[in-house]
Amino acid sequence: MIRYEFLMQIRKRSLWISTAVLAVALVLLQGDRGPRHVPVDTPARIVMTNWAVLFGLLLPLGFGMVLADRLVRDRRLGVGRILDSLPAGPQAMVLGKYVGSVGATATAGLAAMLAAAGAEFVTRRDVALFGWALVAFALVMLPGLLFVGAFAVVTPLLITAPLFRILFVGYWFWGNMLNPIYLPSLTGTLLTPIGDYAASWLLGETALYAGADGFLPWLRPDPGATATAASIGLLLLLALIVVLLAGPPLYRRQQQAA
Amino acid sequence: MTASPRPNGPASPRRRVNAALWRHEIGRVGWVGWSAPFAAVVVAVAFATLANASGTPRPYVAGVLLTGLEAFVPLAVGLVAVTAIARDVGRELHLALPRSYLATLGRRVAVVAGSGAVASITFWVALLGTGWWSGPGPATATLVWLAPTLALAGLALLVATLGRSVVIATTTVAALWVGQQIYAASMAASAWGRPFLLFLTSRVGTPDGWLTNRIVLSLAGLAMVAATAGLIHRRLLDEEER
């Protein structure tokens, strides 16, 4: 199941086109504070974390869009009954689709990071760039993708894929980039899937809004190793709850309604 | 002697067919299609209520409500419009009928657009009546939501047609929406960016060039809708997303 989902998703043309378009747009529009303008003698850790922060602004939007139809498309395509006959329960189906499709989607994110490391290597000549690309991807981008992926795969079973996509876009800006000074927002909390805490820890300074004063102050500790671990742990815990506890009953409901 | 239809008599067969077609398309677009713009309004009101309750100054709260009209409703219309023209299991059958398939797609988009217009006008009247309206006067208030709605819906339809993919179209609209929110201040400050800023009213107000911005966005949206109408017969969206 995981293998088939992975292969189906990784062969999806729209995954690669949307990732490439967003990555190129971010490279072109990054401005003076973007990673392209970091001085040549800057450590590889800082350079690649800056790339992870830049890609983290918009790439997850494409990932959420591409994952939103994974569980609802089987009924639309008329293969739901065949899948129902497999010796796998709703929990295995949801978990298999989640791991396979999110794994393939993460591959596109990792490819973007490695491409950035390759481009930086041309001018900086530092092999460590590739190692830090993997670390920055694993700590900054991947936990957020696992969190977003869980909601993107499961939530459309409840509210349909189009409505999920609309709410997801609004949530992404409100919960990750809207300055918490202006409005109550999850921006800057441990529950920020943009990877603000991990990036702030790797950079040694606040990347975006991590720990900024605002709504739910107990979820806004100062950035650091412990806060980073707590942020990643919370995101993964919520993703598991959605996939393992909310996903199977919703999938079963869809089976019964068909 | 032929009897002409009476004013209060039964509707003509043509009118009955048209009414049935519209009823069918409203049903086909589904509850998500026509309710999404209203859901966007509800989200804006919920955010504003939360902000008001947490002591956010009144101008910011009014700004959130204005954002609901200028940003949330157009986003909902744009993303749902893509779904309205994609996925049609009866497409091949329809192409064999004497009725134009383009007209059918137009009706589906019109249902979504009409729902967006009703939600926007209702919301605007409510804001005006409750004293929370912070946009321009009644003569140009319509342009606050109409211009970004046309631009985002036109872009969504054109990209969906060119890319033959719901994912690419929705990602493009989403990225443009979030990207413009991030770079709104820079765009408003630059001479080339200001005419294309979707959220000029809610992020800056009604500065010099506001009307130009609204006209540019509206015309760009209409041009993209026209381009979609010209291209869609050659590039119908697939049933399965690729």
Side-chain angles (χ1 to χ4, degrees):
Chain A
M1 165 67 79
I2 293 172
R3 184 165 158 257
Y4 282 118
E5 277 302 321
F6 181 89
L7 290 174
M8 275 195 287
Q9 183 80 340
I10 208 156
R11 288 171 183 158
K12 205 166 166 167
R13 192 187 59 158
S14 53
L15 168 67
W16 295 99
I17 292 176
S18 56
T19 303
V21 169
L22 292 179
V24 169
L26 284 164
V27 170
L28 295 176
L29 299 172
Q30 62 184 275
D32 297 341
R33 292 175 61 200
R36 236 178 4 153
H37 302 279
V38 172
V40 177
D41 56 349
T42 306
R45 172 176 51 86
I46 305 288
V47 175
M48 293 320 300
T49 304
N50 272 312
W51 276 105
V53 171
L54 180 72
F55 285 148
L57 293 176
L58 294 184
L59 285 194
L61 279 176
F63 297 157
M65 298 292 171
V66 85
L67 287 167
D69 69 345
R70 290 295 87 189
L71 275 178
V72 291
R73 65 193 272 280
D74 295 333
R75 305 289 152 188
R76 198 177 68 232
L77 295 174
V79 296
R81 291 284 183 203
I82 297 171
L83 293 174
D84 292 347
S85 69
L86 295 176
Q91 196 166 37
M93 294 295 286
V94 173
L95 189 63
K97 279 180 176 289
Y98 171 72
V99 174
S101 58
V102 173
T105 308
T107 306
L110 180 60
M113 282 297 287
L114 291 174
E120 290 289 354
F121 182 77
V122 173
T123 52
R124 298 176 195 272
R125 299 286 168 193
D126 184 356
V127 181
L129 286 163
F130 293 98
W132 282 109
L134 294 175
V135 172
F137 171 77
L139 294 180
V140 179
M141 292 176 75
L142 189 57
L145 174 59
L146 292 170
F147 176 80
V148 163
F151 282 92
V153 168
V154 172
T155 315
L157 290 172
L158 192 64
I159 60 169
T160 76
L163 193 53
F164 166 78
R165 286 177 171 134
I166 296 166
L167 296 175
F168 175 57
V169 177
Y171 156 75
W172 189 252
F173 181 68
W174 169 76
N176 291 282
M177 285 171 265
L178 183 68
N179 192 330
I181 290 172
Y182 300 122
L183 277 177
S185 156
L186 288 177
T187 303
T189 66
L190 295 173
L191 290 174
T192 308
I194 204 168
D196 204 352
Y197 270 94
S200 300
W201 176 53
L202 289 171
L203 289 172
E205 61 180 5
T206 306
L208 296 167
Y209 298 102
D213 289 340
F215 185 56
L216 304 174
W218 49 277
L219 275 175
R220 300 173 181 276
D222 290 332
T226 311
T228 299
S231 176
I232 291 172
L234 270 177
L235 291 171
L236 296 183
L237 179 67
L238 282 172
L240 281 176
I241 288 171
V242 169
V243 172
L244 296 179
L245 296 183
L250 289 171
Y251 187 81
R252 201 176 294 117
R253 194 184 72 159
Q254 182 188 240
Q255 278 179 317
Q256 288 163 354
Chain B
M1 184 176 156
T2 55
S4 60
R6 290 171 299 170
N8 295 323
S12 68
R14 186 184 176 82
R15 198 171 285 178
R16 277 205 305 273
V17 168
N18 276 334
L21 282 173
W22 279 102
R23 272 199 304 275
H24 170 75
E25 298 304 352
I26 290 169
R28 191 192 173 282
V29 164
W31 68 270
V32 170
W34 58 260
S35 69
F38 292 94
V41 170
V42 170
V43 169
V45 172
F47 276 141
T49 307
L50 185 63
N52 200 34
S54 62
T56 304
R58 187 182 168 92
Y60 285 122
V61 179
V64 174
L65 294 166
L66 190 59
T67 301
L69 194 63
E70 192 180 37
F72 293 0
V73 174
L75 175 71
V77 173
L79 292 182
V80 173
V82 176
T83 316
I85 65 163
R87 295 178 192 135
D88 185 352
V89 288
R91 178 182 292 144
E92 290 192 1
L93 178 66
H94 194 302
L95 288 169
L97 298 176
R99 287 234 166 213
S100 159
Y101 188 55
L102 185 62
T104 300
L105 293 179
R107 265 193 298 274
R108 287 172 192 167
V109 173
V111 169
V112 177
S115 162
V118 171
S120 298
I121 292 167
T122 309
F123 188 36
W124 172 65
V125 170
L127 292 179
L128 214 55
T130 53
W132 280 101
W133 175 244
S134 57
T140 51
T142 305
L143 290 173
V144 170
W145 58 269
L146 185 61
T149 302
L150 282 170
L152 282 179
L155 178 71
L157 294 173
L158 185 59
V159 175
T161 307
L162 289 174
R164 300 178 80 176
S165 161
V166 172
V167 168
I168 294 173
T170 51
T171 302
T172 303
V173 170
L176 181 75
W177 193 92
V178 173
Q180 287 218 1
Q181 292 285 6
I182 297 170
Y183 296 109
S186 313
M187 284 186 74
S190 85
W192 67 266
R194 182 175 287 199
F196 300 99
L197 179 56
L198 294 163
F199 318 120
L200 188 61
T201 325
S202 52
R203 299 302 290 269
V204 181
T206 50
D208 288 344
W210 181 83
L211 196 59
T212 308
N213 163 278
R214 298 290 107 173
I215 291 169
V216 167
L217 290 177
S218 302
L219 291 178
L222 289 173
M224 287 188 281
V225 170
T228 304
L231 288 167
I232 201 160
H233 261 298
R234 276 173 283 171
R235 301 189 66 82
L236 291 170
L237 269 68
D238 291 341
E239 179 61 22
E240 165 59 345
E241 177 66 46
R242 287 189 293 176

